[in-house]
Amino acid sequence: MQKWLFFILLTLFLKTGIGQTANATDSVISLLVRNEKQEPVESATILLIRVSDSILMRTAISNLQGKATMPHVAPGDYRFEISLAGYQTFISKSYSISEINKGPFEFELMPQSATLQNITITGKRPLIERSKGKVLINVDAAVTNTGATVLEVLEKSPGVTVDKNNGISLQAKSGVLVLIDDKQTYLSGSELANLLSSMSASQVDQIELITNPSAKYDASGNAGIINIKTKKNKQKGINGTLSLSYGQGRYPKSNNSFLLNYRQGKFNSFFNFSTGYNESFTNIYALRDYYDVTGKTIASLDQTTYLKGQSLNNTIKTGVDYYATEKTSFGIAFTGVIVSRKGASDAKANWINENGGIDSTIITTGSSSNHFQNGSLNLNFRHAINKSQDISADFDWLNYDIRNEQYFSNTLDVPGGYNEASKGYLPSSIHILSGKIDHSFRFGQNGKLESGWKTSHTNTDNLAEYQYYDGGQWSQDYGKSNHFLYEESIHALYSNLEQKYKRFTFQAGLRYEYTTYNANQLGNAIKDDSAFSKKYSGLFPSGYVSYQADSASTFTFTAGRRIDRPAYQKLNPFVFIINKYTYQTGNPYFLPQYSWNMELSHQFKNILTTAVSYSIIKNYFTQLFLTNSDGILLYAEGNIDHAINLGISVTVQASPAKWWSLTGQAVFNHKELSGYVWDEYNSNINQLNLNINNQFRIGDTYAAELSGFYTSKARNDLQELLYPTGQVSAGVSRPILKKKGTLKLSIRDIFYTQAMEGLTDFENAEEYFLLTRDSRVVNIAFTYRFGKPVKAARRSGGSAADEIQRVGNGN
């Protein structure tokens, strides 16, 4: 209670004190628009877009001299979009606007008849942009994202890695909070991977990589936040995009989407639909060696497994925005996702004695099905109180229905051998209600104070019903069956202050979160009921200090404290059968992990960025590889004492020639992990991640890409070492149908090198594994843009023009 009172009083004090000393001086930026003959262009519409969230901040119309001004522009990173009938729409690069960089910004419009080469030079969005602690990836800028899923786009994004269990790491640190349109998915692990692999890249506009989120964001995410921003069209009239793609690896794949938007008067409505079909395979080889106390190999288990799967997904997102007044807007949005997956597996396991001979062979066949449904509803409200203050509110309802079924049959391949089987039914439901209110107050010339409140409440119901077949009849397997109920509430308050003084910009924020949960493990014929609950709270400071040494160089220091809570399902002490000798299990004693992250960076123009980072994580999340009394190996997740990560990164963006632009990043990390498993255990690793993307312009028509990534030996878990992996991809595109359509052809993992390989330590055992997938895929895609935009009449925006631009639509 004292912490809550302290936080509320602190926020009120800051608002009152700063409000009394507010400076009413406004900053103004100036612009100049010319045509290809260097003549002034009159009546061009100029949009100022904030890079960090793609929100429209200001509009202006150029005068007879081609000039325009925009008042009340806070320091930050922006891009300009300029349009006029008879000219190609111009999209600028990112500009860092500040007290010493107000313009005039000069732009050149090219006529509609200009060649594609000229259009691209002035209008094509770059693959990567940067803005105060964020890396922005423009998905459509990469030809090789054609036909890909969002998960596949992430795994080749700079600084992002995806492991064999589809765990996502950012800058070599695990524990990433994934948002979709600034909203939590409340999923992790395989459920999150299923969702991201069901999303087509054609649905996505940008992906934000945020390594040091401000206090406005949830404190979750040790490594930071990945925010997936889906496409939205705010142009007046009716507009749409149709995207079709077909991919062929060993098996076929297809990702298709249809986006429709209609804006007229006070209403903006949208309808987005996507569907995808995917057939895939996974080959797994594992060699597990068992040792005695002297380290001598006493037995080995040689296992080969082939899994064949197929999936079908459908997603709908639709909604309406209503601009009630020049200062107020309301919105409603609905999202529905249905994903169906089926799989079959064949495995062979040879028991090998210490002399190298085969003692016995187990043949395993299996089948599985997964049905994933998600429905969500969002209500949002935005209001510009006055020139200095905005308030917004969001309320969300989410429901997940996840149903898994699995079947395994094991046969001992010798005369007189046995036949046994197991089947499981594992339904899970998640119900979430959340709400938040945010307030923004701009003061002086360059100051802003944000504050807000958020609450969320979650209920989950997880059932695992197993039966086993002993050769004669099916019986209930009470040892593996369970029923787990979980309830969690999180309440948060935050305040975040941003101010610029001469060449310095600083941000300081504080977030308070209070968490309570109750869990109930229902009993059965051989298990008693058990229950546990916990309450905890924490303060999470964050901030940065940035110094603009000159027009080319900026130095920034960031720091923040964050938390990761265990996923709901991982607290459930369930058993999930992988094969006869390997199970996965939950952990009711799983604790949150806490981290401090710090980074010092230097940016030279938009060309070179270097950074040194340090993080220390307490109660570090890691996979735990254990052995039970029956010799079965158990995969679980839990905590170890700590992990330390020291990183160095270099990012280059350059144009070696007019027809060639490249982006390259190198990230080096030294990791140290320490904790107790069956004994005190320490491990460390030096790892390197390289990522490069080349964009080419071929003549007046074609665009091409050559990209790739490489990850050296790596370690995310205490007991598991990952071997090097990587891939090379290429693609080409050209416009068709009077440039309303685009054809793209791409191939991912050309040399089929993206394997998952590594070594896992168990108590008195060690396992080598090699996993290959259907990663080499050729894709062909067609995109068609259509619409009938409505040209707005020139008129004054009135005294509330600034407020109109700040309202936004909340999606």
Side-chain angles (χ1 to χ4, degrees):
M1 186 63 189
Q2 290 177 342
K3 289 182 178 179
W4 281 84
L5 183 60
F6 166 77
F7 196 82
I8 293 171
L9 290 174
L10 176 62
T11 301
L12 292 174
F13 171 79
L14 285 172
K15 286 203 170 188
T16 302
I18 294 172
Q20 291 173 347
T21 60
N23 188 341
T25 304
D26 294 326
S27 59
V28 179
I29 64 172
S30 58
L31 307 100
L32 176 60
V33 183
R34 296 190 178 98
N35 60 19
E36 80 283 4
K37 298 178 182 178
Q38 298 303 301
E39 299 169 340
V41 175
E42 182 187 8
S43 301
T45 299
I46 307 168
L47 308 181
L48 180 69
I49 309 293
R50 190 164 60 194
V51 171
S52 62
D53 50 18
S54 296
I55 288 179
L56 175 64
M57 302 300 295
R58 300 286 185 275
T59 62
I61 303 292
S62 60
N63 62 18
L64 184 63
Q65 291 77 37
K67 297 180 179 180
T69 59
M70 292 183 174
H72 314 304
V73 178
D77 294 334
Y78 302 88
R79 66 173 181 268
F80 298 92
E81 295 188 12
I82 307 174
S83 60
L84 180 64
Y87 291 88
Q88 295 287 342
T89 298
F90 176 92
I91 303 174
S92 77
K93 66 179 182 179
S94 173
Y95 287 89
S96 182
I97 294 176
S98 65
E99 187 179 353
I100 62 174
N101 188 26
K102 303 177 185 178
F105 300 102
E106 299 184 8
F107 303 110
E108 180 179 326
L109 292 184
M110 303 300 294
Q112 290 280 9
S113 59
T115 63
L116 180 64
Q117 181 178 8
N118 289 334
I119 294 169
T120 301
I121 290 173
T122 59
K124 183 178 173 66
R125 293 171 74 183
L127 175 65
I128 293 177
E129 299 177 82
R130 295 183 176 275
S131 172
K132 293 182 182 178
K134 295 182 181 181
V135 174
L136 310 176
I137 299 170
N138 295 308
V139 175
D140 281 345
V143 180
T144 57
N145 289 335
T146 300
T149 68
V150 172
L151 190 64
E152 290 168 337
V153 173
L154 284 176
E155 69 182 357
K156 67 187 191 71
S157 298
V160 180
T161 55
V162 180
D163 64 23
K164 74 178 194 301
N165 299 312
N166 291 317
I168 301 172
S169 297
L170 183 58
Q171 302 288 24
K173 295 186 290 185
S174 58
V176 179
L177 176 64
V178 176
L179 308 178
I180 298 178
D181 290 328
D182 299 304
K183 295 175 176 57
Q184 278 204 54
T185 63
Y186 296 95
L187 297 176
S188 66
S190 60
E191 287 81 11
L192 177 61
N194 286 343
L195 179 63
L196 297 181
S197 60
S198 70
M199 289 183 66
S200 170
S202 62
Q203 297 174 256
V204 179
D205 179 37
Q206 283 186 328
I207 295 177
E208 298 178 342
L209 309 179
I210 312 171
T211 55
N212 185 52
S214 72
K216 183 176 182 178
Y217 291 95
D218 291 339
S220 300
N222 151 64
I225 291 173
I226 294 178
N227 187 20
I228 300 164
K229 310 279 284 187
T230 58
K231 290 178 178 176
K232 303 174 185 67
N233 190 337
K234 299 178 183 178
Q235 189 175 10
K236 290 186 177 182
I238 185 167
N239 304 276
T241 303
L242 175 67
S243 298
L244 305 173
S245 73
Y246 176 82
Q248 184 67 51
R250 182 180 297 182
Y251 298 109
K253 303 144 201 328
S254 178
N255 282 302
N256 312 290
S257 66
F258 176 69
L259 284 69
L260 185 66
N261 191 89
Y262 178 71
R263 182 171 182 177
Q264 186 65 36
K266 294 186 175 183
F267 288 91
N268 180 72
S269 58
F270 58 92
F271 175 84
N272 300 340
F273 173 74
S274 69
T275 183
Y277 176 78
N278 181 44
E279 292 186 32
S280 62
F281 77 88
T282 304
N283 258 327
I284 304 174
Y285 173 73
L287 178 61
R288 186 181 302 168
D289 293 323
Y290 294 85
Y291 304 101
D292 62 16
V293 293
T294 66
K296 179 183 176 182
T297 302
I298 55 175
S300 298
L301 182 62
D302 185 281
Q303 306 171 82
T304 56
T305 305
Y306 181 82
L307 299 97
K308 170 73 166 60
Q310 64 181 43
S311 67
L312 175 66
N313 63 78
N314 294 282
T315 301
I316 289 177
K317 184 172 182 179
T318 185
V320 176
D321 302 310
Y322 173 59
Y323 300 89
T325 70
E326 292 183 332
K327 294 185 177 183
T328 305
S329 70
F330 300 88
I332 182 171
F334 169 78
T335 302
V337 180
I338 298 178
V339 183
S340 296
R341 297 173 179 270
K342 293 183 178 180
S345 63
D346 293 289
K348 183 178 182 180
N350 293 319
W351 278 105
I352 301 172
N353 58 38
E354 59 184 323
N355 298 318
I358 297 177
D359 279 346
S360 61
T361 298
I362 306 294
I363 304 295
T364 300
T365 60
S367 63
S368 64
S369 66
N370 175 279
H371 188 71
F372 175 100
Q373 283 186 309
N374 164 234
S376 64
L377 182 68
N378 168 258
L379 302 175
N380 59 79
F381 163 79
R382 302 288 183 270
H383 178 66
I385 300 172
N386 53 40
K387 186 185 297 185
S388 302
Q389 298 186 71
D390 303 323
I391 190 168
S392 63
D394 282 84
F395 300 95
D396 293 275
W397 168 85
L398 297 91
N399 181 76
Y400 293 95
D401 184 12
I402 306 167
R403 299 182 182 275
N404 289 290
E405 294 184 44
Q406 57 176 209
Y407 171 85
F408 290 98
S409 175
N410 300 305
T411 302
L412 179 61
D413 191 22
V414 296
Y418 60 77
N419 185 297
E420 61 182 18
S422 174
K423 62 182 179 181
Y425 175 59
L426 298 90
S428 176
S429 63
I430 305 173
H431 307 285
I432 300 164
L433 284 173
S434 71
K436 67 173 184 174
I437 298 174
D438 299 294
H439 178 263
S440 176
F441 172 53
R442 289 167 296 283
F443 58 92
Q445 184 176 356
N446 299 305
K448 182 169 69 171
L449 178 65
E450 298 174 304
S451 58
W453 160 87
K454 181 181 178 181
T455 185
S456 65
H457 184 75
T458 303
N459 283 288
T460 72
D461 188 333
N462 304 274
L463 179 66
E465 290 185 343
Y466 280 101
Q467 292 180 306
Y468 68 90
Y469 180 76
D470 58 8
Q473 62 180 1
W474 287 96
S475 303
Q476 292 292 327
D477 191 344
Y478 292 111
K480 298 186 183 71
S481 300
N482 78 0
H483 192 179
F484 181 71
L485 305 175
Y486 181 82
E487 181 180 8
E488 179 184 89
S489 296
I490 301 175
H491 308 287
L493 288 170
Y494 79 89
S495 190
N496 194 64
L497 175 66
E498 185 174 4
Q499 177 67 63
K500 180 175 177 61
Y501 178 72
K502 294 184 179 180
R503 294 178 180 268
F504 287 93
T505 302
F506 74 87
Q507 182 188 86
L510 185 64
R511 188 178 184 92
Y512 173 78
E513 294 191 350
Y514 175 77
T515 305
T516 177
Y517 68 79
N518 296 287
N520 190 3
Q521 175 69 46
L522 303 182
N524 57 35
I526 65 172
K527 292 180 180 179
D528 294 330
D529 288 352
S530 62
F532 55 94
S533 61
K534 190 176 181 64
K535 298 178 181 179
Y536 58 94
S537 62
L539 289 172
F540 302 95
S542 62
Y544 70 83
V545 177
S546 183
Y547 175 70
Q548 190 167 354
D550 51 41
S551 60
S553 292
T554 303
F555 295 87
T556 304
F557 175 75
T558 64
R561 183 175 187 252
R562 303 193 63 76
I563 183 176
D564 276 311
R565 298 174 181 86
Y568 314 123
Q569 297 89 335
K570 293 178 181 179
L571 290 166
N572 175 13
F574 71 101
V575 171
F576 187 88
I577 299 173
I578 298 176
N579 58 45
K580 179 178 175 62
Y581 302 106
T582 310
Y583 295 168
Q584 182 180 359
T585 182
N587 179 6
Y589 306 106
F590 210 170
L591 299 174
Q593 69 176 6
Y594 296 88
S595 63
W596 271 103
N597 302 309
M598 287 164 275
E599 182 182 85
L600 177 63
S601 64
H602 170 252
Q603 182 170 348
F604 177 74
K605 296 184 177 180
N606 284 322
I607 299 174
L608 177 67
T609 303
T610 55
V612 178
S613 63
Y614 172 83
S615 67
I616 181 167
I617 306 109
K618 297 291 186 182
N619 293 333
Y620 180 70
F621 287 0
T622 185
Q623 285 196 86
L624 301 175
F625 304 98
L626 310 170
T627 308
N628 70 8
S629 57
D630 297 324
I632 293 174
L633 298 188
L634 302 175
Y635 288 77
E637 289 198 43
N639 306 97
I640 58 173
D641 184 62
H642 72 272
I644 295 174
N645 191 323
L646 178 64
I648 301 173
S649 66
V650 179
T651 304
V652 176
Q653 291 179 271
S655 296
K658 290 183 178 180
W659 48 268
W660 176 20
S661 63
L662 69 85
T663 301
Q665 184 184 66
V667 181
F668 172 82
N669 290 89
H670 173 76
K671 293 183 179 180
E672 296 181 1
L673 295 82
S674 179
Y676 184 88
V677 186
W678 62 85
D679 199 354
E680 288 295 334
Y681 200 107
N682 298 282
S683 61
N684 61 75
I685 190 75
N686 293 319
Q687 67 185 66
L688 178 66
N689 179 267
L690 302 175
N691 189 294
I692 189 166
N693 182 286
N694 297 275
Q695 300 283 328
F696 306 101
R697 176 60 53 191
I698 304 172
D700 295 339
T701 305
Y702 290 91
E705 176 189 335
L706 180 63
S707 61
F709 69 87
Y710 168 80
T711 302
S712 70
K713 283 187 176 181
R715 187 183 292 273
N716 292 325
D717 299 299
L718 181 69
Q719 299 166 253
E720 187 169 87
L721 177 66
L722 303 174
Y723 293 165
T725 187
Q727 63 149 272
V728 174
S729 301
V732 63
S733 70
R734 65 155 296 162
I736 59 174
L737 301 176
K738 297 181 180 179
K739 301 175 184 176
K740 290 185 177 181
T742 305
L743 275 179
K744 297 180 180 180
L745 178 68
S746 67
I747 178 170
R748 296 197 309 273
D749 196 10
I750 296 173
F751 304 106
Y752 200 54
T753 53
Q754 197 183 355
M756 307 279 186
E757 186 180 14
L759 194 65
T760 306
D761 288 335
F762 297 85
E763 184 177 12
N764 300 322
E766 184 178 75
E767 182 174 272
Y768 164 81
F769 62 85
L770 174 63
L771 184 152
T772 56
R773 302 173 298 168
D774 200 6
S775 57
R776 180 162 53 192
V777 179
V778 177
N779 275 290
I780 185 168
F782 167 72
T783 301
Y784 181 73
R785 296 165 295 278
F786 62 92
K788 187 177 181 181
V790 176
K791 184 176 180 180
R794 287 189 60 188
R795 62 181 179 87
S796 170
S799 61
D802 290 335
E803 287 81 355
I804 295 172
Q805 302 307 326
R806 291 198 296 267
V807 169
N809 66 5
N811 293 317

